[in-house]
Amino acid sequence: MKNICFTLFAFSISLTASLACDVCGCSLGSNYFGILPQYDKNFVGLRWYYSSFFARMDHNSEYMEDEYSNDTYQTFELWSRLYLTDRIQLFASIPYSFNQMEGSHQKVTAAGLGDISVLANYTLVNTGEDVGNPWRHTWLAGGGVKLPTGDFRQQDQGLLVNPNFQLGTGSTDFVLNTIYTVRFQNVGLNLGTTAQLNTENPEGYRFGNQWNASTQLFYWRQMKYLSILPNIGMYYETGEMHTDNGIRQLNSGGEVWLAQVGLDIYYRDVAVGFTFKNPVSQQMNSDEVAAIESKERIMISLIYNF
């Protein structure tokens, strides 16, 4: 799913179209920082996101056939961090998405450029490495913009595909975030939160505002040129209902809690990361007919520090 598409998953379902996961909900995925590698360096890297969702609509009618959809969302993201000054970091992400909708009434594939994001973070606190002090703190805060570079007018059989399945939202949206990391010797805790404030696109459709928060407990093990960083934690995301020309859309918005486990490996200037998330609790704003379920998520990353 697009990333990142975020943090949350909102979903829109119509009686004549296939059920689909909210592509916008994952847009925050592109703005997910997690445990930032080698804090004092620039980097460029690739990330791959995978998400899957299942939705169904039980009409309980002899005249209307039940509907279902298995949807998968993959995003290949080029992202980078550059220091503009000692305290200001610039982040940029360029996603390429591949979405598949396998439904009872519709099968659609979408591939192409997604919505590009550019953010800047300011370092509020950075205690650095001090041999005499086992504690280390870093705190960043900032924000940026998500640009409407992805296609949001894709059609299938002459009809506009569900907005949730489009490669982009068609709107210019604004992102706020903060990241705090504390480490005592080899054990640390990473806390992060991101909010996305969405605007209306040229079609009059507006995805609900979204917010996520994560906490990760990690262990840092240094071995000459090689370092490993296993981590475990929780991830939460939520989204408001969507609107279409000011009218609130049923079966959109909700919240989900995911348990996550990961491993980062650093060798000299190269870092490889793996994260797996699995839902433990979720509550979507679905009506009595529709049921929407978020499945597992996977992220794999490769970074070069310079």
Side-chain angles (χ1 to χ4, degrees):
M1 178 176 183
K2 187 172 170 261
N3 350 135
I4 63 135
C5 120
F6 104 38
T7 292
L8 154 71
F9 323 100
F11 302 80
S12 281
I13 302 177
S14 68
L15 298 179
T16 58
S18 172
L19 312 182
C21 157
D22 174 12
V23 72
C24 178
C26 285
S27 65
L28 283 180
S30 295
N31 302 316
Y32 172 71
F33 296 98
I35 303 172
L36 294 172
Q38 296 180 304
Y39 178 82
D40 59 342
K41 292 187 177 183
N42 303 315
F43 68 69
V44 62
L46 294 172
R47 292 195 290 190
W48 172 71
Y49 297 94
Y50 170 87
S51 295
S52 62
F53 297 82
F54 176 75
R56 69 176 183 273
M57 184 175 286
D58 298 325
H59 298 294
N60 295 319
S61 170
E62 60 179 310
Y63 304 104
M64 299 184 66
E65 184 180 357
D66 292 342
E67 302 175 60
Y68 70 87
S69 182
N70 288 291
D71 303 334
T72 59
Y73 297 78
Q74 299 183 67
T75 294
F76 299 88
E77 178 191 31
L78 174 66
W79 74 311
S80 180
R81 175 181 68 191
L82 297 174
Y83 273 89
L84 302 181
T85 70
D86 290 341
R87 287 186 173 269
I88 299 177
Q89 306 175 18
L90 181 68
F91 289 87
S93 67
I94 305 175
Y96 183 92
S97 298
F98 182 77
N99 305 334
Q100 288 183 297
M101 179 192 301
E102 293 285 340
S104 55
H105 293 67
Q106 193 175 27
K107 298 183 186 298
V108 182
T109 298
L113 177 69
D115 288 343
I116 295 174
S117 295
V118 180
L119 298 91
N121 279 337
Y122 182 80
T123 305
L124 299 170
V125 176
N126 180 20
T127 59
E129 295 286 356
D130 184 351
V131 177
N133 185 358
W135 290 94
R136 184 185 182 190
H137 303 266
T138 58
W139 181 20
L140 295 86
V145 62
K146 183 185 71 64
L147 304 171
T149 53
D151 184 10
F152 66 100
R153 291 191 173 105
Q154 180 185 359
Q155 295 187 1
D156 179 52
Q157 300 180 1
L159 299 175
L160 194 67
V161 175
N162 193 311
N164 301 321
F165 194 75
Q166 301 287 347
L167 297 171
T169 65
S171 59
T172 299
D173 306 320
F174 302 95
V175 180
L176 299 173
N177 72 277
T178 186
I179 311 159
Y180 174 71
T181 304
V182 57
R183 177 159 60 93
F184 178 76
Q185 295 180 345
N186 295 332
V187 179
L189 182 68
N190 174 265
L191 305 171
T193 183
T194 302
Q196 182 165 302
L197 309 177
N198 298 319
T199 65
E200 191 174 277
N201 69 20
E203 301 295 328
Y205 198 91
R206 178 181 176 275
F207 290 85
N209 293 332
Q210 305 152 354
W211 176 72
N212 73 29
S214 66
T215 176
Q216 295 167 274
L217 181 67
F218 64 86
Y219 175 78
W220 179 269
R221 174 67 172 171
Q222 180 78 42
M223 298 172 289
K224 198 174 182 180
Y225 299 122
L226 182 70
S227 300
I228 61 173
L229 195 153
N231 58 86
I232 188 172
M234 292 294 297
Y235 182 82
Y236 171 79
E237 56 186 30
T238 182
E240 299 174 346
M241 293 184 71
H242 303 176
T243 60
D244 189 354
N245 291 294
I247 300 174
R248 298 177 70 188
Q249 299 299 292
L250 295 175
N251 300 306
S252 68
E255 63 179 16
V256 60
W257 288 88
L258 301 100
Q260 66 180 42
V261 61
L263 175 65
D264 294 336
I265 300 175
Y266 305 88
Y267 179 75
R268 294 184 183 271
D269 293 326
V270 176
V272 178
F274 172 81
T275 301
F276 177 81
K277 296 186 179 78
N278 195 59
V280 294
S281 176
Q282 53 187 300
Q283 182 62 51
M284 305 304 175
N285 295 332
S286 55
D287 56 27
E288 65 278 3
V289 175
I292 307 162
E293 183 180 2
S294 171
K295 298 291 189 178
E296 69 279 358
R297 302 183 188 185
I298 300 171
M299 184 182 74
I300 299 175
S301 64
L302 174 64
I303 288 174
Y304 174 72
N305 297 280
F306 59 94

